[in-house]
Amino acid sequence: MVIPTEDSVITEMTSTLRDWGTMWKQLYVRNEGDLFHRLWHIMNEILDLRRQVLVGHLTHDRMKDVKRHITARLDWGNEQLGLDLVPRKEYAMVDPEDISITELYRLMEHRHRKKDTPVQASSHHLFVQMKSLMCSNLGEELEVIFSLFDSKENRPISERFFLRLNRNGLPKAPDKPERHCSLFVDLGSSELRKDIFITVHIIRIGRMGAGEKKNACSVQYRRPFGCAVLSIADLLTGETKDDLILKVYMCNTESEWYQIHENIIKKLNARYNLTGSNAGLAVSLQLLHGDIEQIRREYSSVFSHGVSITRKLGFSNIIMPGEMRNDLYITIERGEFEKGGKSVARNVEVTMFIIDSSGQNLKDFISFGSGEPPASEYHSFVLYHNNSPRWAELLKLPIPVDKFRGAHIRFEFRHCSTKEKGEKKLFGFSFVPLMQEDGRTLPDGTHELIVHKCEENTNLQDTTRYLKLPFSKGIFLGNNNQAMKATKESFWITSLLCSTKLTQNGDMLDLLKWRTHPDKITGCLSKLKEIDGSEIVKFLQDTLDTLFGILDENSQKYGSKVFDSLVHIINLLQDSKFHHFKPVMDTYIESHFAGALAYRDLIKVLKWYVDRITEAERQEHIQEVLKAVFLSSFPAVYSELLKLFDVREVANLVQDTLGSLPTIMHVDDSLQAIKLQCIGKTVESQLYTNPDSRYILLPVVLHHLHIHLQEQKDLIMCARILSNVFCLIKKNSSEKSVLEEIDVIVASLLDILLRTILEITSRPQPSGSSMRLQFQDVTGEFVACLLSLLRQMTDRHYQQLLDSFNTKEELRDFLLQIFTVFRILIRPEMFPKDWTVMRLVANNVIITTVLYLSDALRKNFLNENFDYKIWDSYFYLAVIFINQLCLQLEMFTPSKKKKVLEKYGDMRVTMGCEIFSMWQNLGEHKLHFIPALIGPFLEVTLIPQPDLRNVMIPIFHDMMDWEQRRSGSFKQVEAKLIDKLDSLMSEGKGDETYRELFNSILLKKIERETWRESGVSLIATVTRLMERLLDYRDCMKMGEVDGKKIGCTVSLLNFYKTELNKEEMYIRYIHKLYDLHLKAQNFTEAAYTLLLYDELLEWSDRPLREFLTYPMQTEWQRKEHLHLTIIQNFDRGKCWENGIILCRKIAEQYENYYDYRNLSKMRMMEASLYDKIMDQQRLEPEFFRVGFYGKKFPFFLRNKEFVCRGHDYERLEAFQQRMLNEFPHAIAMQHANQPDETIFQAEAQYLQIYAVTPMPESQEVLQREGVPDNIKSFYKVNHIWKFRYDRPFHKGTKDKENEFKSLWVERTSLYLVQSLPGISRWFEVEKREVVEMSPLENAIEVLENKNQQLKTLIGQCQTRQMQNINPLTMCLNGVIDAAVNGGVSRYQEAFFVKEYILSHPEDGEKIARLRELMLEQAQILEFGLAVHEKFVPQDMRPLHKKLVDQFFVMKSSLGIQEFTACIQASPVHFPNGSPRVCRNSAPASMSPDGTRVIPRRSPLSYPAVNRYSSSSLSSQASAEVSNITGQSESSDEVFNMQPSPSTSSLSSTHSASPNVTSSAPSSARASPLLSDKHKHSRENSCLSPRERPCSAIYPTPVEPSQRMLFNHIGDGGLPRSDPNLSAPEKAVNPTPSSWSLDSGKEAKNMSDSGKLISPPVPPRPTQTASPARHTTTSVSPSPAGRSPLKQGSVQSFTPSPVEYHSPVLSGSYSSGISSLSRCSTSETSGFENQVNEQSAPPPTPAPAPAPAPGSGPAPVPSYGGGPEEPVRKESKTPPPYSVYERTLRRPVPLPHSLSIPAAAEPPALPPKPLASRPSHLENGTRRTEAGPRPRPLPRKVSQL
């Protein structure tokens, strides 16, 4: 064995400082600066002290002092850092193995008391310092009187602190601190409460009236000034109260001055008011704790400067021997005086003197209070004109004892005149003697004194003249009754004596003066028991001298009485109040006792009592004698006896004596306590330390303890005795005597000890305390005793114990009992949390005992004797043992872990092996514990100890196997595993290593099982659940709510729903997700989340149990509550359309139940939501695609891509930054290409983020004209499954001159598993499709988007939805400037050249489309300039002029190159009369709804060649715009644009106009002129949803001259509309707008009245089939087949040249085309005429409708509808509230509360007008219109 040579304190210091070093740095990291610096100083101090010890030059005393300092600092640091409490003995650490556990417990408890529960200071002190009085009306000297007042008992509890202030309100003696500082001492803890107040009374010294003139009177009076109070409880909150300002109040009537402080305390405001607006008393107050000597040491500066001491009234709680006091307190209470012949009441002043027995005034014995020297006389304050004055002034008279006898107090009463002389006239006096004739002092209480009348010249110096007179109307009356009757005047005082030398008790006085009255001795001795104990102990020495004196005088007569009196006094000193007087008794016996022969008489009496000990009538008295004389002092004689007798003889004598003591049943409690004290002292005595005598005494000690424990009496004393018994039995002591002692203790006490612990711990705990019983409780000591006993037991003891049970029942009961006790000992609250040393010792004892007992369990309770309860108790104990916090070594510091492993090993592994062994022994009985033990065993396996996991995880295989045998499956095992995993992992248990280990161990175990497949499935399910739970736990550790937390919760929620079908867990996580959303203010997502739960409920009256936050209620009530909550969240999330549907659903329920009150409320709520849709602003969110690549991402994100709905105002850069903040270790990828496998498998995190465009599935609302933008904006960004992203690239050789020739676009479409928004802000991408768009298709899309943007801005400007005109200005400038300086001419160069046309014959239609768009753009620009001129502010006129000039340059440059295909412009419609190509440019054709007549006005056209000057354009545009803007109707909404990424940047950054939807209501919604308006004719559904027009733009008529002027353009031979026809006379072929989802829905029916009942459609030049109407005929070119691109591959809602939507390549308003598409084109004059002439066919008969060119054969006209187009009486927009979930391309149940009703199949798309087609397209054959692609039906939604 290696014994270190260095001091143990130095060793501890070194290791402790090492541990502190690491933790000290962590304090800096955690920003705990205060503790960091304090610990730094302490560490330096310890190092300095260590150096002193190592040098070795210290004296023995100095060394002890240094060690004390070191250990104190080590303990302080350990406590601050939360480290373990170190048990010490004489400053050195104690090894728990070297001492008994009871001794260890005592050391720990002692250290804990010192550290954690400092002994409450029994005395407290209040330091008061007077600073100043602040008041505006000073000018007189003041007296300030402080005292403490108990408002509960309505009395002062302290003396007064008195000081004087000068005329400025400052202390008169600033150089003497004791005159203005005081310490109120000896306040008990009971006095620190809120109803104890500091009261301050202020008296002024001056004239009678405060406002009197200075020369009115020269005499000074004491007059009331003001009062202030403060509760002492206000000082308990902080240490120091510097310069408190107390408000000073004055009573309204002077007569109430005596109780002003009470009125202020009670807040009786009517009785007092402030003395002045700024009156305040500045004081400093501080509460100090501890005894006065400690205070003197700690606050030496206070005492060195000087401070007055203010005592409590009366004695302190504990009277200390040697304390000398002789104070008489007199309170001047009140008086009753006659008027004395005056018309008004007197101004009475009381003067007080103390007169000694010789008639002389005693000087300087009247104290007004501490802080002021005593005075010889006292003058009361004067109350103005008051014959019944009340003063209540307290005075202290510290008169010496020798002056008391014969002294009296005289009170003189004077009337104080307010006249000029100001004289004081004596009119009466009172007096009271301080001591009575028999030597007793004035009794405490109130005394009514007689007022004797006298004159001013009466000589009162001769006291003999009045002392014979009666002085009181109370009990002390003289013989002269006449004097008393003659006077009606009275004066009241209250007296209180506080003296250690004088007594007011006559019996006590008679006893002490026994020699003067020998005949009263017997009576005095009998009355001694009735005297108050405090009186006896005050005169203890005198009393004892008296008793022994009486005994000496006549022992025969008084022996018995004196003996009884001594017994009474000895028993009195047992009282805790007089405990401090025991040393006085001991000192008396040692030093003052003089009765040398008294023992003879006393022993005689004692023997007499012992002889009569069995007499029943004397029992009570005999027990008193036993308590006092025998039991208290018996152990003290052991040492004397051992000098005379052998140790065994003494032991036998003591054993006989203790054995003959009465049992618990026959004596009172006080004797029991004394008896146990006697046994306790015996155990602590030298006699008991000897092994021989101990063996003799132990049985009788145990016998008494057993009886007491059985009755649960005197447990504290029993615990103390037991602890001392075990302290003497050393650990590992194998001496025979010790083993025999253990035998005796086990047999006698083990069982009762277990029962006692169970009894104590099962008692209800007092509220406010934890189960850690307080130190006055005994649980800890009994536990330490039990552990000591078990640690001392050897194999033989255990064997004997187990053999001692006669039946299995007894053994079973014992095992159950001891297992239960062990479970109690393991509880965390059993010991304070820093008692790790004690816990480890206890655990070592427990595991050792369990190993012994498990053998008994195997032998006695298996097979046919199997007992489930005892086995269950065993396993439960083992599991909670392993799970104890104090055994989790992973949480310890390395040094601590090393120490524990060296001393005890890893006790968890030992217990785990024991569990496994016992489990294997169970055999078929294992089935009893499946599935009950799955949870506990799972908890054990989650502990991060590899050996423990390897031992325990195979048990699950065993459980699966036995369950499979029993029921053919292991569903129970699976269910329990899953349930417990969730709760355990959420508590922080388990890790990734465990998941892998669980998986690998069990898979290996089940390899050869017949049920391998189902086993693998279960293991896989549990493993996947662990993945998600671990992710969830990691995410929840974050502070604020982020996407990761929400995404993880969604993943877990879906797993419980789809894979595990655990409804309760599913609902729990729904609510967890809901709470996360609310915290993040994702109100829409919160509503969708709660809908999941709502969908699980029905409108039924089925009762539901209390669950989560829901009370017990019916299913209907809960569903109603959910509906209302969801509506509220949809409202807060501005998702009002969804809220409306739920309002309807719940309203339907109210209607069914005839609950019209709630129905009304619901309808009003629904109406309010409609109003909000129309009136409030809504932001359109951005959408971002995020890819999470690399193995370091959580499972639910790893190598997956998601689309995320951004926050309001969040753009790409902000979103990217947010994601990088959520994943601080992630690397942002700088390209949009799909990553390769190396990125997927990398041990890192890669984020790929770019913006995507939403593609709404329902197009009908978006394409329907007249629907306000406020409504459309919802459909653009809600219920979106599909998103797209465009990436420009160059294919082939890039043309440096014109990059558009090779500029392709890769279009990626992303399909989500669920639509956005939903239960999360992001959803995983389920499928992606990639197509490539040719340069020509790209160009078409760019132009379409820009045209749409222009039209929208112009419409907004016209309807005054735009706050200013700048957006339109910028857009016009961008387009015109680009066109003049390059722009669209690049497209001409690229696609209109002969080479391109010949090499791409299939693109003829697309080229024609591009040409149309160019011409359309020119029309739009011209109209836009006209509108712009109307609204442009004056300072922007020059810019407008420049734009007009540039526009004509642009038009002149638009030349058309020759090629064989004919290109025809189609009409473009604008809101209020817009430029259009001439009507004849598109031949008329009749639609299936040709019967309906839609009146329209002439459009504007513009010539291709004619140039107008800016002035001419302005003039005609002005006229046109005046017509436009004069209309009252306005468009319904501001369209929100968001251009797609520029081709010059691959970042896909959206640079958009603010996504704000106008909330201005429109006047056009219910306009009666709706039928007079025209709609759009351009098909623009190939625009992205954001750039698609959102409102119908209606034209207004222009002047005929303008119409004619614009009709000059085009082929003169083509049919034209007659400009002179009125609008209703023109028939229009209503070609459906491409803005709607299915074209047929655009067509509206005419009612009988000819009124439109659905939105009108864009006009086409038509002929009507109705003979009653005027018709126009037109010559149409031969129709050509549609392009294949527009047939098979087109989606039903996307009639664009290609299958997918085109990007918007323009990045801002400033450029009409992106940086990669700047070009200019020139228009060939007359080219359009030439083309039309070549292809014009012969005229068509009037009745037959002509088909649109290029669109196939004309359809058969339909009158009122036909099979192709059923007539609809009304066309309903599908509700906007559907919630979809798409999983693996099939419908998955999700909230069907918001589902869309199925729509009818759409009709075929109508033909599109084109002039002609190239004859060589598609092998030269003419194609007819193919059937349209069917519109996808809404997804099926089912209930959860």
Side-chain angles (χ1 to χ4, degrees), residues 849-862:
T849 309
V850 166
L851 291 175
Y852 278 119
L853 298 178
S854 58
D855 203 36
L857 202 57
R858 275 195 291 260
K859 287 177 183 173
N860 295 287
F861 298 101
L862 262 182

Side-chain angles (χ1 to χ4, degrees), residues 384-407:
Y384 188 64
H385 287 177
N386 193 333
N387 279 339
S388 303
R390 302 187 72 147
W391 295 278
E393 281 205 276
L394 175 70
L395 303 167
K396 182 170 85 168
L397 312 181
I399 306 168
V401 176
D402 57 333
K403 308 263 187 194
F404 242 74
R405 182 171 292 281

Side-chain angles (χ1 to χ4, degrees), residues 105 757 760-761 771-773 777-784 830:
Y105 178 82
I757 293 171
I760 296 171
T761 52
M771 196 207 148
R772 167 63 197 145
L773 300 165
D777 208 339
V778 292
T779 316
E781 288 215 59
F782 279 123
V783 164
M830 177 47 64

Side-chain angles (χ1 to χ4, degrees), residues 524-526 528-529 547 560-570:
C524 289
L525 289 174
S526 299
L528 181 68
K529 291 181 181 180
L547 291 174
S560 175
K561 292 283 184 187
V562 169
F563 183 87
D564 289 347
S565 298
L566 287 171
V567 165
H568 174 70
I569 291 171
I570 292 167

Side-chain angles (χ1 to χ4, degrees), residues 1546-1586:
L1546 295 182
S1547 68
S1548 307
T1549 307
H1550 285 229
S1551 124
S1553 60
N1555 286 2
V1556 180
T1557 305
S1558 166
S1559 61
S1562 167
S1563 60
R1565 283 179 201 124
S1567 169
L1569 301 174
L1570 189 63
S1571 59
D1572 295 331
K1573 296 175 182 176
H1574 284 334
K1575 310 299 180 199
H1576 290 277
S1577 66
R1578 268 289 6 104
E1579 296 175 344
N1580 41 28
S1581 63
C1582 54
L1583 299 181
S1584 75
R1586 290 172 189 246

